[in-house]
Amino acid sequence: MMNKIPLEIVALSSSVTQLQSYAVVLGEVGGLRRIPIVIGSYEAQSIAVALEQIKPARPLTHDLMTSVLASFQIDLQEVVIYKLSEGIFYALLICERDGDVIEIDSRTSDAIALAIRCGCPIYTYENILNEAAGFNEDQTDTPEESTESPAADSSSTPTPAPTGKTEQEAPKKALPKSSLSHYTIAELEEMMQKALDNEDYDLAIQFRDELRTRGAGS
């Protein structure tokens, strides 16, 4: 059996070459190798919300899936990215219930979003890491609803636009940091809550970041 290699999320950013797409970059724990994957805007939003520990006004799809797992006492033990074929990553959800282990096929972006929420590890294999290293963003297709492609690491701001799957909008520009500096902590907290109520998670994350720089964010 091949040894599993643990991964961690090292970046989430706008895709450099693919319009309306984002890249989540997984890195080898304790190593330098990377797995960059192009994902859609909705999946990027869901991952960002979980990473920032933002609580939406209403549950996102991955929040709902996490609640379903908990309600039926299903433990998501780990995520395994087990295959890379024709530029598409394949992942498995390794679940346990009443002593039985269940493997569920999943899109990699969904698996990552669930792993963050459930606090479970993400793994891959040596051959996947080596093969992914040979890809760059120009070699891949635009991501579809059922697939994810490798992508080059990008350096754009890691704040995905809160757009839906079928109707994509232009990414929202980050607010100038100077425009937030004159607000009080109470005002920032109030604006963040309003952004959450309006499901504008991109804006809410910016308010959260400003609060954290002042030592007020959790």
Side-chain angles (χ1 to χ4, degrees), residues 95-109:
C95 303
E96 185 272 334
R97 183 172 186 265
D98 295 333
D100 295 326
V101 176
I102 307 165
E103 296 185 353
I104 303 174
D105 189 32
S106 171
R107 295 192 309 168
T108 305
S109 58

Side-chain angles (χ1 to χ4, degrees), residues 8-26:
E8 60 185 349
I9 298 174
V10 297
L12 176 61
S13 57
S14 300
S15 174
V16 172
T17 64
Q18 298 193 28
L19 185 63
Q20 300 295 337
S21 297
Y22 297 84
V24 58
V25 183
L26 303 177

